Amino acid sequence: MNTAKVIPFRRDHPEQPAPMRNAVVALGGGGARGLAHLGVLEVLKQTRVQVERYVGTSIGALIGAMCAVDDNIQRVQGKVMGFLDSPGFDHHQQQLFGSANVPDENANTGIMAWYDRAKYLYSAHRRLTRAVTQQSLLHDAMLTASIEELIPDIEFADLSMPLSIVAADLRSGHRVVLESGSVRTAIHASMALPGIFPPVEHNGMLLCDIGVVDSIPTAVASAYASDLTILVDIGQRNARMEKFDTAMDVMMRMQDIGEQILRREKTELADVHIRPELTGVSWFDFQNPEEVMERGRTAASEEFARHSFFRTGRTGHADAATGNHLDVQPPSENVRYR
């Protein structure tokens, strides 16, 4: 008897697993909170999604570059943990913050947190004269030394994985996407916090960290994505504020509001939005790196569970399956690729 005729719904062959998916991963800025990126990427490596490019801003540029150099996330995590435990890193922290107690920033978010840190640096290190006569409050030696410890002296062409690093050009006013030349220089430019570290001269541009106003590089990432765009957002959450004692307080608060609005709009460009719960973790707080990584793992696991294309079986996201980002073009205004 031909059972296929009697039981017409019977399949001669079992259903095949869904094909591997590809994703461009956008890694946002946020200082020490960027350790959560390592937890997110660890969980991502366990799914059926293959990373095809990293796009990073500030600390996201550093983590993305490390993963583009070495695809083994456990080795990358080990290298970061070893660096954070080193006497050299402790020396850099002492240079940055001195022996004074670190102020509490938990009440402030986004650019307000950076502003509070800048005010602290003015006071603790007595750099008022430097602030009005030079480009930055601090020299970039500690930033350079940190990058050199974690990233080999290679060019973008030598990377095993495509990488895009986003910064701002002070001269032209454009967002700049760096994809050629020295990887270390590009990371340095993307991490040069305006006013704190000096901007970086590079190919006629004067580059600095764009993260204080545009902390998630989703627009650039979605322009490259042939399938999925995954965003890892480690920015501060917008907290209510009551007191605005100076004109500077009002201006900086408006910048903070602008950054939050822009972040919300940028998240709409991503197919998957991962935002670890990082309340209480300040941008300079490297004291509990494993805890921050674990928060990244938790957020990634929870978000991936909502999407069937991270698991074996039939995909349930029709738009992603058609690769609807294939024809997306990068914004032409205020963007330059170098």
Side-chain angles (χ1 to χ4, degrees):
M1 178 181 293
N2 189 335
T3 56
K5 293 180 179 180
V6 177
I7 311 175
F9 54 82
R10 175 179 172 177
R11 297 186 179 92
D12 291 331
H13 303 285
E15 183 177 3
Q16 296 299 312
M20 292 287 290
R21 305 297 297 275
N22 295 318
V24 174
V25 179
L27 302 173
R33 298 158 67 89
L35 293 170
H37 288 319
L38 295 171
V40 171
L41 294 174
E42 177 184 340
V43 177
L44 179 59
K45 294 287 186 181
Q46 300 167 16
T47 71
R48 295 185 56 78
V49 174
Q50 177 71 40
V51 177
E52 58 183 348
R53 176 182 292 269
Y54 293 105
V55 180
T57 295
S58 195
I59 189 69
L62 178 61
I63 298 299
M66 292 187 70
C67 293
V69 170
D70 187 351
D71 189 52
N72 187 309
I73 188 63
Q74 282 75 28
R75 278 200 300 262
V76 172
Q77 290 173 340
K79 190 170 186 178
V80 171
M81 295 291 283
F83 174 67
L84 295 179
D85 287 337
S86 68
F89 178 77
D90 184 64
H91 176 67
H92 297 329
Q93 290 292 90
Q94 289 296 322
Q95 282 186 293
L96 183 58
F97 302 119
S99 59
N101 291 328
V102 175
D104 183 11
E105 290 185 358
N106 292 346
N108 288 341
T109 64
I111 201 166
M112 290 305 302
W114 296 112
Y115 175 47
D116 284 348
R117 175 55 50 187
K119 290 192 295 185
Y120 169 70
L121 288 169
Y122 275 98
S123 174
H125 299 279
R126 300 182 180 181
R127 298 179 186 270
L128 286 172
T129 301
R130 183 179 180 85
V132 297
T133 61
Q134 299 188 41
Q135 285 183 325
S136 63
L137 295 175
L138 299 174
H139 294 291
D140 61 359
M142 66 185 75
L143 187 58
T144 300
S146 299
I147 295 169
E148 290 179 352
E149 182 71 22
L150 295 170
I151 300 292
D153 186 13
I154 61 175
E155 300 205 347
F156 280 84
D158 301 319
L159 295 171
S160 59
M161 172 76 65
L163 172 70
S164 300
I165 291 178
V166 185
D169 178 16
L170 293 174
R171 292 194 174 115
S172 69
H174 291 133
R175 181 195 298 122
V176 176
V177 182
L178 301 169
E179 299 175 338
S180 62
S182 168
V183 175
R184 284 178 173 176
T185 298
I187 297 170
H188 190 172
S190 189
M191 295 185 71
L193 182 64
I196 305 300
F197 295 110
V200 176
E201 285 277 1
H202 180 64
N203 292 342
M205 300 176 290
L206 191 60
L207 302 176
C208 69
D209 186 348
I210 198 173
V212 292
V213 293
D214 189 10
S215 62
I216 53 175
T218 325
V220 176
S222 64
Y224 277 107
S226 61
D227 190 0
L228 302 172
T229 302
I230 299 175
L231 165 64
V232 187
D233 179 3
I234 56 169
Q236 300 270 13
R237 297 182 186 272
N238 195 14
R240 181 176 178 82
M241 296 186 64
E242 300 293 343
K243 292 183 62 178
F244 304 93
D245 296 328
T246 68
M248 182 63 73
D249 290 337
V250 174
M251 289 188 290
M252 298 302 289
R253 177 58 170 172
M254 280 307 301
Q255 282 190 273
D256 184 31
I257 292 170
E259 193 273 337
Q260 294 284 342
I261 292 172
L262 183 60
R263 180 189 291 138
R264 287 195 294 270
E265 293 176 348
K266 290 291 188 64
T267 59
E268 296 177 0
L269 298 174
D271 298 292
V272 180
H273 177 204
I274 303 167
R275 190 170 192 184
E277 173 52 58
L278 295 170
T279 301
V281 181
S282 299
W283 69 271
F284 56 84
D285 182 8
F286 291 91
Q287 295 301 309
N288 299 294
E290 181 53 46
E291 177 188 341
V292 178
M293 282 193 283
E294 183 59 30
R295 295 194 193 189
R297 295 185 191 102
T298 299
S301 297
E302 292 175 352
E303 182 61 29
F304 292 164
R306 299 187 181 101
H307 302 275
S308 61
F309 47 73
F310 287 102
R311 304 187 299 272
T312 301
R314 186 184 302 277
T315 59
H317 195 298
D319 289 340
T322 61
N324 64 342
H325 284 290
L326 186 59
D327 296 325
V328 175
Q329 298 298 320
S332 59
E333 183 179 2
N334 293 334
V335 182
R336 296 293 185 271
Y337 287 76
R338 299 297 181 96

